[in-house]
Amino acid sequence: MREYLKFYIGGEWVDALGPHTMDIVNPATEEVCGRVAVGSAADVDRAVAAARKAFAGWSVTGREERLEVLRSILDEYQKRGGDLAAALTEEMGAPASLAGGFQVGLGAGHLAKAIEVLEDFAFEERRGATLVVKEPIGVCGLITPWNWPMNQIAVKVFPALATGCTMVLKPSERSPFTGQIMAEILGAAGVPAGVFNLVQGDGPSAGVPLSAHPGVDMISFTGSTRAGIEIARNAASGVKRVTQELGGKSPNIVLDDEDLAANVAAGVATMMGNSGQTCSAPSRTLVPAARMGEAVAAAREAAERVTVGDPNGDVVIGPVVSASQFEKIQALIQKGVDEGATLVAGGTGRPDGLEKGYYVKPTVFANVTNDMTIAREEIFGPVATIIGYDDVDHAVEIANDTEYGLAGYVAGADLDQARAVARRIRAGWVAVNDGFDFGSPFGGYKKSGNGREWGEFGFHDYLEIKGILGYAPDDAAS
């Protein structure tokens, strides 16, 4: 059993000041697999003080020094890939193939992209007699979720390091193991003392003190919209910058062409990945109403191909992360039945043969209307909904009829049409025919948040912009 009772503060592993610990439950077995110290306001104070002390030196380092540190982190990260994968499987139930593949691979990909961006990033720009300078914002509080731990740690920690910021990371209390290993990686890579600090804990114990702390200049949060609103309130008194990547209810518009069945199946498979626990997942599949029968058949077949079981075995999906998440998903599946949607695959209860663990049946609903609960609320489980549309204008109208705007998807053989539809979706990240790019901006419209992560765009929120007027009056006059 894992036991992590120390926090990484000021370049050292130190005892937690608070007296409390929490048990971590393996969602596949429902058994305790670890114990982690719960941070307190005093622990946050200590971590912020270390970050403030380190900021004076790290903020004025040159590009090459930061690049050297980031490259060293990449070397250490690659050495610990197996450890990270094992931790992911244990703490959140990610199947071994997913944990050691895309989950760990996302962290490495974002780190490599941060290095590439930093090599050429323009921190200064002359505009006539004025010099425009981009400077690190200061001490950053980074609060990350449990569903894609390495992705979310990577898109916050690495841009912060690259831009000269110092930070305090609070990982989700549901996936603390990977955060602990990441701290070990950064320490081994030679990140200077106090530049990166780790405090574990839940929202009330550590998240609230961090977001409200007067010594923190910026908060970057990924999680639910409800929690994001509270974090913004906590941060408001300090007028600190707050960036958020929150919930989603993303549309997947499948265009009316010969590839409809294949595109529906691909969308359902994407929805089921990571047990449906992805904020940007294509949870609303929109198909031509006249071809609902074809879409249902393709979706049913795709769902039935999704194997569920022990994440240490050869399965597509493992359990969802917790008992509370399991119960929420079960209630929403039942809500779909009660509100009259057609249950195509799956349903309530565990899959056959799985009596222990938070396993959910891969579920598909058809003939869904966009006013149903399962079309409005983020389920965060392996549950796909299929909604019919009359024409493309109707599809776009349905797609945008949501309080969220994190992501969208368009699938179709006519690339020009798919591009035109993508432009009309009110979301921050839209994939045409399964496009993917580490350099793309990622973030949401509306209640899906503000700010952007990934690639060059992920640097901007960690920078202040200064104009130095009269910097070069002689050159400006010539």
Side-chain angles (χ1 to χ4, degrees), residues 60-150:
V60 296
T61 53
R63 186 192 310 270
E64 288 306 316
E65 184 173 347
R66 294 180 203 167
L67 282 169
E68 182 179 351
V69 169
L70 288 171
R71 289 168 182 147
S72 179
I73 294 170
L74 183 57
D75 289 341
E76 294 295 331
Y77 187 95
Q78 291 169 336
K79 292 175 188 175
R80 300 295 300 274
D83 296 334
L84 289 167
L88 284 159
T89 297
E90 195 170 8
E91 68 188 0
M92 62 163 292
S97 58
L98 174 64
F102 203 44
Q103 285 268 12
V104 172
L106 280 169
H110 286 300
L111 177 49
K113 176 57 71 171
I115 292 169
E116 177 187 326
V117 170
L118 180 57
E119 288 174 340
D120 298 310
F121 191 84
F123 288 98
E124 296 184 0
E125 178 186 357
R126 284 272 298 278
R127 295 196 174 188
T130 298
L131 182 69
V132 179
V133 181
K134 297 175 183 177
E135 299 179 339
I137 193 169
V139 174
C140 303
L142 312 177
I143 303 176
T144 56
W146 50 264
N147 59 323
W148 289 96
M150 300 322 303

Side-chain angles (χ1 to χ4, degrees), residues 91 110 153 184 289 343 394:
E91 68 188 0
H110 286 300
I153 289 174
E184 294 173 359
L343 184 63
H394 188 214

Side-chain angles (χ1 to χ4, degrees), residues 222-400:
T222 299
S224 70
T225 298
R226 176 197 56 78
I229 291 169
E230 290 305 309
I231 284 171
R233 287 182 177 140
N234 294 333
S237 63
V239 200
K240 59 173 60 73
R241 184 177 299 172
V242 178
T243 66
Q244 301 176 322
E245 190 254 283
L246 306 175
K249 196 65 182 176
S250 303
N252 177 26
I253 298 178
V254 179
L255 298 176
D256 189 0
D257 59 35
E258 66 274 13
D259 295 331
L260 180 137
N263 287 332
V264 167
V268 169
T270 300
M271 180 65 231
M272 300 302 171
N274 203 39
S275 298
Q277 300 169 130
T278 302
C279 49
S280 58
S283 52
R284 293 183 296 145
T285 297
L286 278 55
V287 303
R291 300 181 67 181
M292 180 64 73
E294 293 175 63
V296 166
R300 179 186 294 112
E301 184 178 347
E304 290 174 350
R305 286 199 297 265
V306 178
T307 54
V308 187
D310 182 353
N312 292 296
D314 184 16
V315 295
V316 174
I317 64 173
V320 296
V321 75
S322 67
S324 61
Q325 190 70 14
F326 176 84
E327 293 300 332
K328 173 194 172 187
I329 296 165
Q330 297 301 308
L332 284 167
I333 292 173
Q334 185 59 52
K335 191 76 169 177
V337 173
D338 295 343
E339 291 186 352
T342 302
L343 184 63
V344 172
T348 57
R350 291 179 173 86
D352 292 342
L354 296 171
E355 298 179 358
K356 197 173 187 180
Y358 308 127
Y359 296 100
V360 176
K361 295 176 184 176
T363 297
V364 176
F365 284 103
N367 299 307
V368 175
T369 57
N370 207 45
D371 60 349
M372 291 181 178
T373 302
I374 56 174
R376 308 303 295 180
E377 293 190 16
E378 186 176 37
I379 299 172
F380 229 58
V383 182
T385 61
I386 305 177
I387 302 170
Y389 66 80
D390 298 330
D391 54 30
V392 169
D393 288 340
H394 188 214
V396 172
E397 178 185 345
I398 295 170
N400 291 332

Side-chain angles (χ1 to χ4, degrees), residues 1-7 19-25 31-38 90 173 176-177 180 200:
M1 187 173 80
R2 298 173 189 261
E3 192 168 73
Y4 296 127
L5 303 180
K6 293 179 181 290
F7 300 146
H20 302 296
T21 62
M22 57 184 169
D23 290 337
I24 308 304
V25 174
E31 296 174 357
V32 174
C33 62
R35 190 161 64 101
V36 178
V38 175
E90 195 170 8
E173 66 273 21
F177 300 162
Q180 204 85 6
Q200 301 278 13

